Amino acid sequence: MTKRELGEKYFKDGYNCAQAVALAFAPELHFNEDFIVKLVSGFGGGFGRMREVCGAVSGMVFVLNALKGNIDPSDDKAKMEHYQRVQTLMNEFKEKNGTYICRELLNLPEQNSEPTPEKRTESYYKKRPCAELVGDACEILENYLNK
């Protein structure tokens, strides 16, 4: 199964966008899956359903951080290189989808931050491109990591 397919499957299993992306890369992260799910749980819905940065993008950056993040606070070159990696991935997602802002991806009004998640029904999946966005994030990250 590809990372794209895994991410889409996890999303359809009920995980939020960030969790689905992170779980698709769980073998590479070498963390307990429950720990991964917990670490990124607040990123779903554009940070707690605030509809800001897409959870799939946040999950993608989380995985990138875990695999390639910098650790020395005095190493400005490493920081810059990592920020460049983050921007590369985010810009690729934006090129493909027009934005990386959740509310814009979902065509939602500015004031839509109700914290209660919607029930995952058949109509939910029909009106939401989230599974495909998760797939895009997984594919972008996988391609980047394989370069």
Side-chain angles (χ1 to χ4, degrees):
M1 196 175 264
T2 67
K3 296 293 186 190
R4 175 182 202 82
E5 292 166 338
L6 269 175
E8 289 174 353
K9 177 199 172 305
Y10 284 124
F11 182 79
K12 290 175 182 171
D13 286 347
Y15 291 99
N16 72 35
C17 298
Q19 292 169 326
V21 172
L23 282 171
F25 289 87
E28 290 83 352
L29 297 178
H30 306 289
F31 295 145
N32 173 286
E33 288 187 4
D34 288 344
F35 186 58
I36 293 169
V37 168
K38 188 181 233 182
L39 283 176
V40 298
S41 61
F43 298 158
F47 284 84
R49 294 193 89 237
M50 295 294 294
R51 304 305 186 191
E52 297 297 334
V53 174
C54 169
V57 173
S58 297
M60 179 174 65
V61 173
F62 167 81
V63 172
L64 182 68
N65 290 344
L67 297 176
K68 297 192 175 284
N70 63 295
I71 56 172
D72 182 350
S74 65
D75 189 344
D76 290 338
K77 183 176 187 276
K79 284 182 193 179
M80 184 272 305
E81 289 170 347
H82 187 59
Y83 291 160
Q84 188 174 31
R85 288 188 286 271
V86 170
Q87 288 185 13
T88 296
L89 294 178
M90 290 184 72
N91 286 331
E92 187 171 340
F93 186 93
K94 184 176 181 178
E95 264 183 47
K96 184 167 186 138
N97 294 291
T99 184
Y100 46 75
I101 303 300
C102 176
R103 75 177 150 275
E104 294 171 4
L105 290 163
L106 301 180
N107 296 312
L108 296 173
E110 189 76 24
Q111 315 282 336
N112 190 7
S113 60
E114 169 63 40
T116 307
E118 289 182 54
K119 293 289 181 210
R120 298 284 184 93
T121 63
E122 194 173 317
S123 65
Y124 171 92
Y125 289 111
K126 283 183 183 176
K127 70 180 180 177
R128 291 274 198 249
C130 300
E132 185 171 318
L133 296 170
V134 164
D136 288 347
C138 288
E139 188 172 82
I140 289 166
L141 181 57
E142 182 177 36
N143 290 340
Y144 183 85
L145 293 173
N146 287 334
K147 285 183 188 176

